[in-house]
Amino acid sequence: MSALDSKVFRDLSYGLYIVTSLDGERHNGQLVNTVIQVTSDPARVAVIINKKNLTHEFISKSRVFAAAVLDQTVPLTFMGPFGFRSGRDYDKFAKVSFKKGITGAPLITEHVLSVLEARVFNEIDLGTHTIFVGDALASEVLREGIPLTYRYYHEHLKGKTSPNAPSYAAPR
Amino acid sequence: MSALDSKVFRDLSYGLYIVTSLDGERHNGQLVNTVIQVTSDPARVAVIINKKNLTHEFISKSRVFAAAVLDQTVPLTFMGPFGFRSGRDYDKFAKVSFKKGITGAPLITEHVLSVLEARVFNEIDLGTHTIFVGDALASEVLREGIPLTYRYYHEHLKGKTSPNAPSYAAPR
């Protein structure tokens, strides 16, 4: 084995989440496939965000983020703005139900199974992206359901991948 | 929202992998739910390993690791030793088909859809665990199939979680 076959990366499994943060009174959020629990004692979670994204700027400044686990029944039209529009020229929260968390980050309450909030504990610069590792401060199950997976999003919903995603492969 | 409800962490989605490494002529590997692609240019992957595990010692020393994506049809008996035995007192590779990768790490070839190898580029100390981030050096699809997910492992195969996993929640 000596070459890099990018098809291998399609065999890795992920969920699909909306990661949110804030800058003062401004809220922003974006679709993220990489939200993972990294330790259980204490409970810590990691998220990976592209440096170009406004959410990256907000997390870097506020040092907090929230993640919402999408329900498998979420419509593509709900996710669209979070995946393919920038909060720099569009208020993604104008028509979305959310409540403010203890960190101040917006917690999305529609089409979402559960939410968690974290304060950044450490980070790794990955070049194009940053891994933010946070201490989980609060979390809540909003409803029962099947969490949306990245595979289901692609295969059943025919969703697309943003060029800013960690897993992006340019069409050939 | 002010309390931490650990049930939220069950809503996060993962695959299930065997991560391997080496120390000279010795090979070791273990079940890992946290193998993710973190950037695409260059292609980098992250794995999270418990510091108590021999695989952690091997990756820390050799600075390389491989990951094998398990096929959904893999029997529990095949995974068992990789999840619940230590390489310190048991040779997990004695009865397992594998080939040596360009990094020297063993690439498991049975019950596996694809394999990749990486060289550690950076790491974060998480207390009980370490995130190793590696540059993907080589990867290969071995066969078509459905990748095993962590959810399928728990719900259909009735698999258990090792106390050393990042997602472990002690039974109550």
Side-chain angles (χ1 to χ4, degrees):
Chain A
M1 187 164 83
S2 59
L4 200 58
D5 182 350
S6 66
K7 286 202 296 294
V8 164
F9 297 112
R10 296 184 205 154
D11 282 345
L12 305 184
S13 299
Y14 308 93
L16 205 52
Y17 313 91
I18 297 175
V19 169
T20 61
S21 189
L22 77 159
D23 179 16
E25 290 304 301
R26 290 172 70 202
H27 296 142
N28 198 48
Q30 63 160 89
L31 279 183
V32 173
N33 66 314
T34 44
V35 173
I36 59 174
Q37 183 178 5
V38 298
T39 60
S40 57
D41 186 22
R44 285 178 170 152
V45 291
V47 298
I48 298 171
I49 306 284
N50 192 300
K51 290 181 183 176
K52 291 180 187 164
N53 292 354
L54 185 61
T55 305
H56 191 283
E57 190 182 315
F58 281 17
I59 298 175
S60 294
K61 258 170 106 165
S62 69
R63 313 309 289 169
V64 298
F65 61 87
V69 179
L70 290 166
D71 188 331
Q72 189 182 276
T73 61
V74 60
L76 272 183
T77 50
F78 181 82
M79 286 188 277
F82 289 101
F84 297 95
R85 296 207 58 166
S86 171
R88 293 193 177 89
D89 51 34
Y90 179 78
D91 178 3
K92 301 185 188 183
F93 286 87
K95 292 177 187 167
V96 167
S97 302
F98 67 96
K99 56 184 179 181
K100 218 172 164 118
I102 55 167
T103 61
L107 309 174
I108 297 176
T109 53
E110 53 177 332
H111 304 301
V112 160
L113 299 182
S114 53
V115 287
L116 64 86
E117 296 178 78
R119 186 176 309 280
V120 174
F121 141 82
N122 206 338
E123 59 189 85
I124 291 185
D125 184 339
L126 297 169
T128 54
H129 294 68
T130 301
I131 300 184
F132 293 105
V133 182
D135 286 303
L137 301 181
S139 62
E140 184 184 352
V141 175
L142 303 179
R143 58 184 65 85
E144 295 297 312
I146 301 173
L148 179 63
T149 65
Y150 202 49
R151 188 170 310 277
Y152 189 91
Y153 169 74
H154 284 291
E155 293 183 359
H156 295 266
L157 304 182
K158 307 296 180 196
K160 294 190 178 8
T161 296
S162 160
N164 289 354
S167 53
Y168 184 66
R172 286 158 204 216
Chain B
M1 185 165 83
S2 59
L4 200 58
D5 181 350
S6 67
K7 285 203 296 294
V8 164
F9 298 113
R10 296 184 205 154
D11 281 345
L12 306 185
S13 299
Y14 307 93
L16 205 51
Y17 312 92
I18 297 175
V19 169
T20 61
S21 189
L22 76 159
D23 179 16
E25 290 304 300
R26 290 172 71 202
H27 296 142
N28 198 48
Q30 62 161 90
L31 279 183
V32 173
N33 67 314
T34 44
V35 173
I36 59 174
Q37 183 179 4
V38 297
T39 60
S40 57
D41 185 23
R44 284 179 171 152
V45 290
V47 298
I48 298 172
I49 306 284
N50 192 301
K51 290 181 182 175
K52 291 180 187 164
N53 291 354
L54 186 61
T55 304
H56 191 284
E57 191 182 314
F58 281 17
I59 297 176
S60 294
K61 260 170 104 165
S62 69
R63 312 309 289 168
V64 298
F65 61 87
V69 179
L70 289 166
D71 189 330
Q72 188 182 277
T73 61
V74 60
L76 272 184
T77 49
F78 182 81
M79 286 188 279
F82 289 101
F84 297 93
R85 296 208 56 168
S86 170
R88 292 193 178 87
D89 52 33
Y90 179 79
D91 178 3
K92 301 185 188 183
F93 286 87
K95 292 177 186 167
V96 167
S97 302
F98 67 97
K99 57 184 180 181
K100 218 172 165 117
I102 55 167
T103 61
L107 308 174
I108 297 175
T109 53
E110 52 177 333
H111 303 302
V112 160
L113 299 182
S114 52
V115 287
L116 63 86
E117 296 178 79
R119 184 175 310 279
V120 174
F121 141 82
N122 207 338
E123 59 190 86
I124 291 185
D125 183 340
L126 297 169
T128 54
H129 294 67
T130 301
I131 300 185
F132 293 105
V133 181
D135 287 302
L137 300 181
S139 62
E140 185 183 351
V141 175
L142 303 179
R143 58 184 65 85
E144 296 296 313
I146 300 173
L148 179 63
T149 65
Y150 202 49
R151 189 169 309 278
Y152 189 91
Y153 170 75
H154 284 291
E155 294 183 358
H156 295 266
L157 304 182
K158 308 296 180 194
K160 295 189 177 9
T161 297
S162 161
N164 290 353
S167 53
Y168 183 67
R172 288 157 202 217

